[in-house]
Amino acid sequence: MNTARPALRVAVWTTGNVIRQAARVVLDRRDLALVGAFARSPQKVGVDVGELCGLGRRLGITATADVDELLGLDLDCVIYSPLHLDVAELARILRAGVNVVTTAELMTGSTLDATARAELQGAAEAGNASLFGSGMNPGFAQLLAGVATGISAGIRKVIVSESVDVSEFVADANFEAMGWGRPRGDAGHADAVRAGTAVFAEAVEVLGQLVGTSFDELRCDVEFAHATEDLTLTSMVIQKNHVAAMDVHWTGVVDGHDAVQLRQRWLASTLVDPAWTVEHGYSVEVSGDPNIRIKLDIWPTDADLANLTKETMHGIGMRITAVPVVNAIPAVCAAPAGIVTYADLPVIASPYLRRRLHAV
């Protein structure tokens, strides 16, 4: 007797860089079926999703700008990945009874204004749908940290660090608020970075949920390093004594103690003062009994290494953003209605190994 469950019906919302990777992952899974796509650009409407996502083949699925048409596809989930979250748009999807996984800078929704968060929560409850946000960091990095604490007692502090070379990405739209190339001492720069990284405050909250604590205070500290000479990057020029690196630390405080900290070190160059280095990866440090340190390195496949380009590296960055939300879809579809986080879901792993071993 065939007891296999029917594949969950999935649509992608916009067809940008993250969705190009998400579509590939969906198509490679037997428990998910890609059935639709939303596109804002008139030039993309009516175009096959395989073409829009650079898959090298047609899927027989065309993009639409008609929301009612898309929501009429009996969807189980939408992968929502515009550059910026549109509350009214997202609420419409949820109210229609469609679950949503998103990379659009949302995890708990606490950094939205109270009215916007209430609208999303209310829409999800009205539609009996769930809303989940992730990515690599913020997102999967906090799940990794939460799991790491599971072998230590007496946890005192958890630190998640990202240390990466962003020289090829400083002109990307999602990095615009960081103010790369602003002059030393530019008034308001640190506040702009705090506003532009506010979703990391939500990530602190999620890690707090995973380790069973809430915070009395969320604090953000920002430091800058400045170019020691004029820098000509692929996408911009950064003048000497202008910002070419930054440390952004979001911290959750309990009883005056820094309990959870997310550290981001982003370098557009190593020719900076102070002379910071870049670790090219992620780490988790747990102060407890015992102490724990995990280093997460990410590197290309052998095929990518044979032809390593800026586009290849950018694709890997988009892939590790997309895969966590795609892998979460079955758990999110089974979750209670409302805004949910990793603390509300079972631990999510990739299903690929078992499937591929069975295929051998």
Side-chain angles (χ1 to χ4, degrees):
M1 182 174 64
N2 185 1
T3 60
R5 296 181 180 179
L8 296 169
R9 295 172 61 82
V10 176
V12 293
W13 198 279
T14 75
T15 54
N17 291 325
V18 173
I19 291 298
R20 288 168 69 91
Q21 300 298 328
R24 287 172 164 82
V25 182
V26 171
L27 291 168
D28 201 32
R29 290 184 58 148
R30 295 177 181 175
D31 58 343
L32 304 177
L34 183 62
V35 299
F38 177 82
R40 298 191 194 283
S41 168
Q43 289 75 26
K44 294 184 178 182
V45 172
V47 179
D48 191 273
V49 176
E51 180 180 341
L52 291 174
C53 292
L55 300 178
R57 61 188 174 97
R58 297 178 62 83
L59 301 178
I61 305 165
T62 56
T64 180
D66 186 328
V67 178
D68 288 331
E69 177 185 344
L70 195 69
L71 295 179
L73 295 175
D74 191 26
L75 299 175
D76 293 294
C77 190
V78 162
I79 305 172
Y80 183 83
S81 192
L83 181 58
H84 299 296
L85 182 148
D86 184 315
V87 173
E89 183 177 75
L90 193 49
R92 182 176 178 183
I93 301 169
L94 294 165
R95 198 172 289 111
V98 180
N99 302 287
V100 175
V101 296
T102 182
T103 61
E105 298 187 336
L106 180 143
M107 294 189 77
T108 66
S110 65
T111 59
L112 300 173
D113 67 63
T115 300
R117 190 186 188 284
E119 182 177 354
L120 292 176
Q121 179 69 22
E125 292 174 354
N128 193 30
S130 301
L131 170 60
F132 170 80
S134 185
M136 177 59 215
N137 186 38
F140 183 81
Q142 285 69 60
L143 175 61
L144 178 66
V147 172
T149 66
I151 57 172
S152 182
I155 304 299
R156 298 183 301 279
K157 187 173 184 178
V158 184
I159 300 173
V160 182
S161 300
E162 175 184 78
S163 178
V164 292
D165 179 338
V166 298
S167 57
E168 296 290 350
F169 313 115
V170 289
D172 284 8
N174 62 327
F175 246 180
E176 185 177 355
M178 300 303 101
W180 298 101
R182 286 176 67 161
R184 184 191 295 268
D186 198 5
H189 192 179
D191 287 337
V193 172
R194 291 185 185 98
T197 60
V199 70
F200 283 94
E202 299 188 19
V204 171
E205 293 173 333
V206 171
L207 184 47
Q209 292 170 358
L210 288 167
V211 299
T213 192
S214 56
F215 303 104
D216 306 319
E217 176 191 355
L218 292 173
R219 186 183 74 246
C220 181
D221 301 300
V222 181
E223 295 182 34
F224 299 110
H226 303 88
T228 56
E229 59 185 65
D230 289 347
L231 304 173
T232 301
L233 307 179
T234 302
S235 55
M236 69 181 299
V237 173
I238 296 179
Q239 297 177 355
K240 183 178 179 179
N241 283 325
H242 288 57
V243 171
M246 60 187 71
D247 264 353
V248 185
H249 294 180
W250 278 95
T251 305
V253 181
V254 179
D255 295 332
H257 170 70
D258 291 355
V260 167
Q261 190 167 72
L262 307 186
R263 300 176 176 176
Q264 284 66 239
R265 172 167 285 188
W266 296 321
L267 277 79
S269 173
T270 54
L271 300 175
V272 292
D273 177 34
W276 293 346
T277 58
V278 61
E279 298 297 326
H280 302 289
Y282 304 82
S283 68
V284 175
E285 299 174 63
V286 179
S287 298
D289 181 16
N291 296 315
I292 299 164
R293 179 178 172 86
I294 296 175
K295 177 69 187 300
L296 175 63
D297 294 318
I298 297 168
W299 66 95
T301 64
D302 290 344
D304 284 339
L305 281 171
N307 184 32
L308 198 58
T309 64
K310 173 189 173 183
E311 289 71 26
T312 300
M313 296 304 297
H314 193 272
I316 292 171
M318 297 301 100
R319 198 168 307 130
I320 62 175
T321 299
V323 172
V325 294
V326 175
N327 282 344
I329 289 173
V332 172
C333 289
I339 299 172
V340 298
T341 73
Y342 277 120
D344 303 301
L345 305 179
V347 174
I348 298 163
S350 172
Y352 293 106
L353 180 61
R354 182 172 62 183
R355 178 166 64 77
R356 293 189 188 282
L357 287 177
H358 286 178
V360 174

